[in-house]
Amino acid sequence: MTSPGDSGKREIWPLWEVFIRSSRGLSHVHAGSLHAPDETMAVRNARDLYTRRAEGVSIWVVPSSAITASDPDAKGSYFESAQGKEYRHATYYTESESVPHL
Amino acid sequence: MIPKTKNVNPATVTAESIAKSAVVAPAGVASYALGLGDDALILAQRLGEWIASAPELEEDVALANIALDLLGHARSLLTYAGSATGVTEDDLAYFRDEPEFTNRQIFEQPNGDFAQTIARQLVVSVYFAELYRALSGSADPTLAAIAAKASKEVDYHFDHSYQWLLRLGLGTELSHERMQRGLDAVWPFVDELFRADGAQADVAVDPARLRARFDSTVPPLIEEAGLTIPTVQPARGGGRQGVHSEALGPLLAEMQVLARAHPGAKW
């Protein structure tokens, strides 16, 4: 890990993903991303960028580099195989006559 | 002595609500509010210069947010100050000349580099925080409400500049040097913030009391950031009497040109 300014060149701050909880009881939802030199400043920048109109009661920031995402090119094998498999949904099944209170 | 009036709700006080309420500031209160309003207005204008020029986009937004908060304080204070003589916030902001502005000189100083802006913001945020906390107990209900509302906002401004003070002071050799230079450039103007301005004791805040709070708060922060408390001669001051440094004229020209070229224009 190098310190800011070590390279002698103009450096770009790391990217952070911001999650905002809009009110108590709801989950944090991805709001966007921003640059910040460290996690403390990332929370402050998120406050300035994403909660100016009283959108939130809680902020999470996560380094973008810490997120592992599914491969967009593997969309077919990941998500499309569910198509045509209606039996995976509860609505596929009819009620049994012998079970009156289902 | 101020006649007893009903309290003003800090959660809903704005320049518009003050204008609509037809409250009239007593003369002594009006001149005090004018000084405080000018401080906030001039600093808001200065900080606005950073928009699109800060080191990162995120800092453009952070400094602009602070500027907008200050502009909100200025609008309320100037509207209230203007009520004494029947003029609006716009009359006061756009149609007074340099000697009529009563802001203290620290607020008009050029931004310098980012570190110098942070140094000034640290100093004035501690000053504002102590001022507004004390002023929220003012005998004047409108001033008290404006101060109570502003208090929460300046606490955040303080946090922003404190975080940067630590990062620049304890960062690289270059950032440390620039932060120290920033403090050195701002320090001559600290003394004027705490000079008596002849305001009514039950309405205004005693500047000497603020000075004691400032002196116990700021030096430890500077030391925490590995920096040295500057020892400099105080500047001459006189902002409250309309005496200004050469920096104010160009700032006013930029701020006022549009309103003066198109009087009464709305946008």
Side-chain angles (χ1 to χ4, degrees):
Chain A
M1 188 82 183
T2 55
S3 294
D6 277 355
S7 73
K9 287 182 258 166
R10 182 173 158 79
E11 293 168 14
I12 294 173
W13 289 341
L15 195 63
W16 303 78
E17 301 300 324
V18 178
F19 299 83
I20 306 280
R21 178 157 74 176
S22 54
S23 64
R24 275 180 63 88
L26 298 180
S27 46
H28 286 73
V29 174
H30 187 233
S33 53
L34 52 77
H35 291 96
D38 55 45
E39 64 272 21
T40 314
M41 294 310 292
V43 172
R44 280 153 181 83
N45 289 349
R47 179 261 190 196
D48 284 337
L49 286 165
Y50 294 111
T51 67
R52 290 195 54 210
R53 295 166 196 89
E55 289 95 337
V57 294
S58 168
I59 299 171
W60 286 351
V61 293
V62 179
S64 301
S65 59
I67 291 179
T68 308
S70 60
D71 179 4
D73 293 335
K75 213 170 90 185
S77 57
Y78 262 71
F79 305 115
E80 283 163 22
S81 76
Q83 285 168 13
K85 293 171 183 165
E86 282 81 11
Y87 53 82
R88 290 186 178 175
H89 296 271
T91 51
Y92 177 80
Y93 298 94
T94 50
E95 281 176 47
S96 175
E97 281 173 25
S98 56
V99 186
H101 300 301
L102 193 68
Chain B
M1 190 61 209
I2 303 224
K4 277 268 172 227
T5 38
K6 64 178 180 188
N7 284 339
V8 180
N9 183 356
T12 56
V13 71
T14 58
E16 285 81 5
S17 76
I18 294 167
K20 214 174 129 202
S21 73
V23 64
V24 174
V29 178
S31 61
Y32 184 64
L34 184 71
L36 299 183
D38 283 348
D39 289 347
L41 176 67
I42 298 302
L43 184 57
Q45 180 71 16
R46 263 293 174 242
L47 286 175
E49 292 171 12
W50 275 112
I51 297 170
S53 314
E56 296 281 345
L57 178 64
E58 284 75 4
E59 278 305 311
D60 281 355
V61 178
L63 292 169
N65 266 338
I66 294 174
L68 283 173
D69 284 346
L70 293 167
L71 190 62
H73 310 162
R75 292 191 55 208
S76 294
L77 289 162
L78 293 180
T79 299
Y80 189 44
S83 69
T85 47
V87 295
T88 67
E89 48 175 322
D90 281 3
D91 294 330
L92 291 171
Y94 296 130
F95 296 98
R96 279 182 301 158
D97 292 329
E98 186 180 322
E100 296 163 275
F101 275 83
T102 57
N103 61 284
R104 281 159 169 157
Q105 292 181 359
I106 192 170
F107 300 103
E108 74 205 31
Q109 293 312 305
N111 285 329
D113 60 9
F114 183 70
Q116 188 174 328
T117 293
I118 291 300
R120 181 184 58 200
Q121 206 58 40
L122 178 84
V123 165
V124 304
S125 297
V126 171
Y127 163 76
F128 278 144
E130 297 300 338
L131 170 77
Y132 288 139
R133 217 180 312 286
L135 194 60
S136 60
S138 169
D140 184 280
T142 306
L143 269 190
I146 296 170
K149 188 183 180 190
S151 200
K152 280 183 235 162
E153 296 173 351
V154 296
D155 282 346
Y156 186 79
H157 305 172
F158 164 71
D159 182 66
H160 175 263
S161 33
Y162 170 56
Q163 295 297 333
W164 275 116
L165 175 82
L166 292 179
R167 280 161 183 74
L168 296 174
L170 303 171
T172 65
E173 206 178 310
L174 179 63
S175 73
H176 176 90
E177 184 197 316
R178 286 199 181 198
M179 193 64 238
Q180 185 64 55
R181 241 189 289 152
L183 287 169
D184 293 346
V186 163
W187 217 254
F189 299 97
V190 169
D191 193 63
E192 188 196 359
L193 284 175
F194 304 101
R195 288 186 200 157
D197 53 8
Q200 270 173 265
D202 59 338
V203 170
V205 178
D206 174 16
R209 195 173 117 201
L210 296 180
R211 173 96 228 195
R213 299 280 300 175
F214 182 90
D215 287 342
S216 64
T217 307
V218 175
L221 303 179
I222 293 175
E223 281 165 0
E224 185 188 350
L227 297 154
T228 313
I229 297 136
T231 45
V232 287
Q233 282 295 313
R236 198 158 53 101
R240 282 282 186 267
Q241 289 76 46
V243 177
H244 295 289
S245 59
E246 65 199 20
L248 185 60
L251 179 149
L252 291 180
E254 190 171 290
M255 183 174 83
Q256 296 177 330
V257 62
L258 191 65
R260 290 188 178 204
H262 305 280
K266 293 203 185 305
W267 58 84

